[in-house]
Amino acid sequence: MRRAATTGWMRYAALAALLCCALAPAQTRDPYAAPRRALIAELQAEARGDAGSLTRIDSDVLVVMGRVPRHLYVPKDELAHAYENRPLAIGHGQTISQPYIVALMTTLVQPRAGQRILEIGTGSGYQAAVLAESGASVHSIEIIEPLAAQAAQRLRGYRNVVTRTGDGYYGWKDAAPFDSIIVTAAASSIPPPLLAQLKPGGRLVIPVGSSFFTQTLLLVQKDAQGRVRTRQILPVRFVPLTGGH
């Protein structure tokens, strides 16, 4: 009886060891987990400021960004830099925005579950993924066809993201109105079609400037009566908004 019990225990121990070995790779599979945590810690340090400050980053946004694998949204030759706090080239003269700017713009649009958000400039798809993690329904437009196709593939796991190729200057009239609109390229002025597609009470975040060196990130708010208030946030550098305007 003792031998049978001992044998049974040994088989159980062996099975447990096998299970541990099988589970161990799952816990260490992501080689980017540590640099992602380091990036979030860096952003948290940059998020200092008084409550209500327009440059303060929402802690909930940092939690979301900690879940989104930025390395999946950068080209292979930029993987080593995926979690550095700076913009990276994604081809076709475009960039994936600096993580701090992604965090700040996301904070400013205040995404919430059940909202409808329009993004102009899908790029690699990273900003859309961050917005989608909030539970909002995201409509994203990219004018450069190869980038739009790549982003659509990367974002296919999100049921709350819809993408298309098109000129974002004119928005997405068929899906309007939107609770928030976020523009990830600099316009010379605020596109009137975007203002028209913004709900009363909605927010539009957009970099505006005629030169790469003289751009300002703006927060545009439309009140219940449709009146518009514009506030300057900080100087930025974005690629220009392209299209038929």
Side-chain angles (χ1 to χ4, degrees), residues 146-216:
L147 290 180
Q150 292 167 11
Q153 280 293 105
R154 294 188 183 107
L155 295 165
R156 65 188 183 277
Y158 288 102
R159 295 184 179 181
N160 55 332
V161 177
V162 181
T163 64
R164 72 175 176 89
T165 306
D167 187 349
Y169 181 89
Y170 300 102
W172 197 324
K173 190 174 181 179
D174 293 344
F178 297 96
D179 295 283
S180 297
I181 300 175
I182 185 168
V183 183
T184 60
S188 57
S189 59
I190 301 169
L194 300 186
L195 278 178
Q197 293 172 27
L198 186 65
K199 282 183 180 179
R203 290 173 161 239
L204 165 63
V205 178
I206 180 173
V208 172
S210 57
S211 165
F212 183 74
F213 296 100
T214 57
Q215 298 172 5
T216 303

Side-chain angles (χ1 to χ4, degrees), residues 36-50 55-59 62 85 98-100 103:
R36 186 160 55 249
R37 286 194 297 269
L39 172 63
I40 299 305
E42 181 180 347
L43 295 178
Q44 196 165 21
E46 289 193 30
R48 295 186 300 268
D50 296 332
T55 57
R56 184 178 177 84
I57 297 172
D58 193 323
S59 59
L62 294 181
N85 189 18
Q98 177 188 359
Y100 171 77

Side-chain angles (χ1 to χ4, degrees), residues 19 37 66 108 110 122 139 154 159 161 180 184 195 223 226 239 245:
L19 286 172
R37 286 194 297 269
L108 290 170
Q110 299 181 349
T122 316
H139 288 67
R154 294 188 183 107
R159 295 184 179 181
V161 177
S180 297
T184 60
L195 278 178
D223 68 17
V239 296
H245 60 285

Side-chain angles (χ1 to χ4, degrees), residues 1-242:
M1 290 294 293
R2 179 169 294 182
R3 174 180 290 182
T6 302
T7 302
W9 180 87
M10 291 177 64
R11 287 176 179 171
Y12 175 81
L15 179 60
L18 286 172
L19 286 172
C20 287
C21 290
L23 290 173
Q27 297 171 349
T28 59
R29 189 176 298 143
D30 184 2
Y32 297 96
R36 186 160 55 249
R37 286 194 297 269
L39 172 63
I40 299 305
E42 181 180 347
L43 295 178
Q44 196 165 21
E46 289 193 30
R48 295 186 300 268
D50 296 332
S53 168
L54 290 177
T55 57
R56 184 178 177 84
I57 297 172
D58 193 323
S59 59
D60 290 342
V61 170
L62 294 181
V63 171
V64 166
M65 289 181 66
R67 296 199 301 260
V68 179
R70 190 173 189 246
H71 64 276
L72 297 183
Y73 297 88
V74 304
K76 290 182 179 179
D77 59 353
E78 295 283 7
L79 282 174
H81 310 292
Y83 292 99
E84 295 176 9
N85 189 18
R86 63 184 179 92
L88 299 172
I90 58 173
H92 305 277
Q94 305 299 301
T95 60
I96 178 174
S97 295
Q98 177 188 359
Y100 171 77
I101 295 297
V102 172
L104 178 59
M105 293 178 76
T106 304
T107 296
L108 290 170
V109 298
Q110 299 181 349
R112 298 290 184 271
Q115 288 186 340
R116 186 183 293 260
I117 299 177
L118 174 64
E119 180 194 25
I120 306 302
T122 316
S124 70
Y126 179 67
Q127 176 71 82
V130 171
L131 292 170
E133 285 285 341
S134 70
S137 173
V138 181
H139 288 67
S140 187
I141 306 173
E142 172 57 54
I143 197 170
I144 300 173
E145 196 166 342
L147 290 180
Q150 292 167 11
Q153 280 293 105
R154 294 188 183 107
L155 295 165
R156 65 188 183 277
Y158 288 102
R159 295 184 179 181
N160 55 332
V161 177
V162 181
T163 64
R164 72 175 176 89
T165 306
D167 187 349
Y169 181 89
Y170 300 102
W172 197 324
K173 190 174 181 179
D174 293 344
F178 297 96
D179 295 283
S180 297
I181 300 175
I182 185 168
V183 183
T184 60
S188 57
S189 59
I190 301 169
L194 300 186
L195 278 178
Q197 293 172 27
L198 186 65
K199 282 183 180 179
R203 290 173 161 239
L204 165 63
V205 178
I206 180 173
V208 172
S210 57
S211 165
F212 183 74
F213 296 100
T214 57
Q215 298 172 5
T216 303
L217 188 65
L218 302 181
L219 170 62
V220 182
Q221 295 172 277
K222 181 187 284 189
D223 68 17
Q225 287 72 44
R227 293 171 301 198
V228 172
R229 177 189 183 191
T230 302
R231 304 169 76 178
Q232 296 186 359
I233 308 302
L234 77 173
V236 289
R237 290 185 181 181
F238 278 83
V239 296
L241 182 67
T242 59

